Amino acid sequence: MRTKIVAGNWKMNNDLYSSINLISHIKNELNKNKFETKIIICPPFTSLETASTLLKGSSIFLGAQNMYCEESGAFTGEISPLMLKSVGCEYVVLGHSERRTIFQESNQLVNQKIRAAVKYSLKPIFCIGETLKEREQNKTFDVIEKQIREGLEGFNENELGNLIIAYEPVWAIGTGRNASPEQAQEVHKFIRKLIEKIFSSTFAENLIIQYGGSVKPENSKDLMSQPDIDGALVGGACLKSDSFLKIIESAE
Ligand code: 13P
């Protein structure tokens, strides 16, 4: 049995003050119930240290939204895995489509970042997904396969014990148009089969594959009841504690 994981990717939202506010609301709501689902929040870099302090003693885990693949050095504006560890991060989102499209991150760079995450014991949430054009041209499975093969090239399964894959169709991100549960399940199943081919059936069977792209309380239950969907990577709907909590409840 795989435990469901719901992660909130805050993207470039919330300054320090509003981060403190949102975290205390989430904590208050979560205190009312016990959840089996694992919960992660990924605030912006500037709120991570404070978030880590506020989350002490809670059951919420902390993640970053990106990092660079080097430990230190002349990489102006970048953040290293060691820096993330020093402020209490356990997870890191890598290869998000916004990084790939706006900041031209390649599969090769994402591969190096996953390598760095593994080296410094950060748990990677490795994002993949096709654009609308690629889907319309029936290239979805080719794109996903290439992203996975190149992103995970050179790894063995023992190194990837903490890997999470997030399938986020680019056309569903921030558009309000989620993939249908059937569309998402079809790709998740393909991902698990591919992982089985590259690694092993046990590894594939245990791998957490989250869905992301316009997840909201109205669709989260249907999406997460699919056999190969093990949770959600939530954008817009994680910025309000009540909708984030409803999504977590629907994962239970
Ligand atoms: P939305 O939920 O806002 O579509 O964003 C999804 C996402 O990109 C999470 O990483």
Side-chain angles (χ1 to χ4, degrees):
M1 258 301 270
R2 298 181 294 265
T3 310
K4 292 234 178 344
I5 302 185
V6 172
N9 173 9
W10 293 15
K11 307 195 179 183
M12 199 175 73
N13 293 294
N14 291 322
D15 60 11
L16 188 57
Y17 179 74
S18 33
S19 296
I20 294 170
N21 243 332
L22 180 54
I23 290 170
S24 38
H25 279 113
I26 296 172
K27 275 175 58 181
N28 281 345
E29 294 284 337
L30 278 177
N31 278 342
K32 295 180 193 155
N33 276 304
K34 268 230 154 292
F35 294 101
E36 298 274 311
T37 306
K38 192 171 216 179
I39 302 153
I40 305 169
I41 58 166
C42 305
F45 290 132
T46 44
S47 298
L48 286 174
E49 189 190 359
T50 301
S52 165
T53 306
L54 293 173
L55 294 180
K56 282 216 170 75
S58 82
S59 54
I60 307 169
F61 294 84
L62 187 63
Q65 300 171 20
N66 181 34
M67 66 173 196
Y68 195 51
C69 52
E70 297 288 340
E71 186 181 304
S72 62
F75 303 101
T76 302
E78 293 296 320
I79 298 286
S80 87
L82 287 178
M83 293 170 185
L84 294 184
K85 295 219 45 150
S86 75
V87 292
C89 272
E90 201 168 319
Y91 292 84
V92 60
V93 176
L94 296 173
H96 191 281
S97 75
E98 285 146 20
R99 301 294 321 168
R100 293 174 185 268
T101 54
I102 306 171
F103 302 100
Q104 284 81 44
E105 288 196 8
S106 63
N107 289 336
Q108 287 65 35
L109 179 60
V110 177
N111 175 273
Q112 288 176 296
K113 290 185 175 194
I114 298 174
R115 174 67 58 206
V118 168
K119 180 170 177 194
Y120 295 103
S121 307
L122 282 159
K123 299 173 179 165
I125 303 179
F126 169 37
C127 302
I128 52 172
E130 82 287 1
T131 62
L132 183 59
K133 191 163 166 220
E134 288 161 345
R135 176 162 280 262
E136 285 172 350
Q137 293 175 340
N138 288 322
K139 289 187 184 153
T140 299
F141 296 123
D142 295 343
V143 171
I144 296 293
E145 176 151 1
K146 190 169 159 62
Q147 287 173 336
I148 290 184
R149 286 196 182 275
E150 295 185 359
L152 299 183
E153 196 183 336
F155 285 100
N156 65 53
E157 65 180 68
N158 298 325
E159 294 169 308
L160 297 176
N162 290 318
L163 177 76
I164 296 171
I165 290 185
Y167 168 58
E168 299 204 303
V170 180
W171 49 272
I173 295 178
T175 58
R177 177 186 167 194
N178 59 289
S180 69
E182 296 72 27
Q183 281 175 320
Q185 165 59 22
E186 186 186 29
V187 180
H188 280 235
K189 191 173 168 190
F190 173 81
I191 294 169
R192 205 176 297 286
K193 281 259 164 266
L194 178 63
I195 291 291
E196 181 179 336
K197 249 195 277 175
I198 303 174
F199 299 103
S200 71
S201 56
T202 314
F203 181 70
E205 196 43 47
N206 291 323
L207 178 69
I208 301 292
I209 309 175
Q210 294 175 314
Y211 167 81
S214 297
V215 174
K216 35 190 183 260
E218 298 79 44
N219 60 26
S220 53
K221 187 162 188 205
D222 286 346
L223 284 159
M224 288 190 277
S225 9
Q226 297 295 316
D228 288 294
I229 301 185
D230 310 313
L233 181 54
V234 186
C238 78
L239 297 173
K240 294 245 152 46
S241 57
D242 57 341
S243 51
F244 190 48
L245 261 293
K246 279 185 189 141
I247 293 170
I248 294 164
E249 279 164 3
S250 72
E252 290 287 298

